[in-house]
Structures are given as C-alpha cells and as structure tokens.
Amino acid sequence: MRPTSSDEPPGLLGDDTAPNPSEASLAALGSCLAVGLHANAVHRGWIVNKLELQLEGDLNITAVWGNRRRQREAGRLTDVRVKVDMECEGIPQSEIDALVTHVKKWSPVANTFTRTGQS
C-alpha cells in the first residue's frame, strides 16, 4: 500500500493540507464504484465515452470532542449522495441507470459502509 496524507481543516485543529479521513472514505467509495461501473460496462461490450462521479455526505462532528450528550450522533458520514454521469455508445440511459443500481448494490466498499455488523 502506498503512503497517503491526511489532514483536517483548521476548525478541527488541522492545516487543511490533504483530504480528511471522511473525504478519503468518499474517495474510496467513488473509486470502487467507478471501477465497478467501468468493468461491468466493458464486460457487457459497452464503449464508455464518459464516466464521472460526484460524492458528498453529511457529517455530524459534534461528538468528536467527547460530548457525551451527542454520543448517539457520533461522527459518521450520513446521507451519502452519489451522482453518476455515464455515457456509453448506443446504450439507453435506462440501461446505464440499471447498471449504476447494480454496481451500488454489489460494491465492496459501499457494503462495508452500509452492512457493518451483518453477516
């Protein structure tokens, strides 16, 4: 594994010189989805002309400082939103949308976040 940098914004006592761990988590999810979309499209014989993903999530950091009253809201990404802009030569948008749904369902990283504690 290659070394990576991580930092926090000044509000969390960092210098904002690199992605924070939550941003890195979103990047990992985006990378996994992008690889899955591309691999599945190629497997189907599709020519991918465009593949862009935008990810964002809400993060409640009130519990970061050990505020016991906020333990139920312990810092974690919630309401993660993924926007996929994918164009494949001659493939209707409905089929691309179905592929996106399939890849989101079977993404190892997505399942790591959403299926914790389940077997």
Side-chain angles (χ1 to χ4, degrees), residues 4-9 15-21 23-24:
T4 59
S5 296
S6 183
D7 199 0
E8 292 286 355
D15 295 320
D16 209 14
T17 61
N20 68 36
E23 292 167 332

Side-chain angles (χ1 to χ4, degrees), residues 36-89:
L37 287 165
H38 189 262
N40 277 271
V42 169
H43 179 73
R44 288 169 169 75
W46 298 0
I47 297 170
V48 179
N49 293 328
K50 181 179 182 181
L51 178 57
E52 295 179 7
L53 285 82
Q54 293 178 350
L55 289 88
E56 62 182 11
D58 299 328
L59 180 62
N60 182 339
I61 61 167
T62 56
V64 169
W65 305 111
N67 183 340
R68 293 180 71 78
R69 286 181 274 162
R70 299 290 189 162
Q71 280 183 334
R72 289 184 151 186
E73 303 167 14
R76 66 182 180 91
L77 283 166
T78 60
D79 299 317
V80 173
R81 294 169 295 283
V82 178
K83 180 181 176 189
V84 177
D85 187 3
M86 184 174 191
E87 296 174 5
C88 297
E89 203 166 295

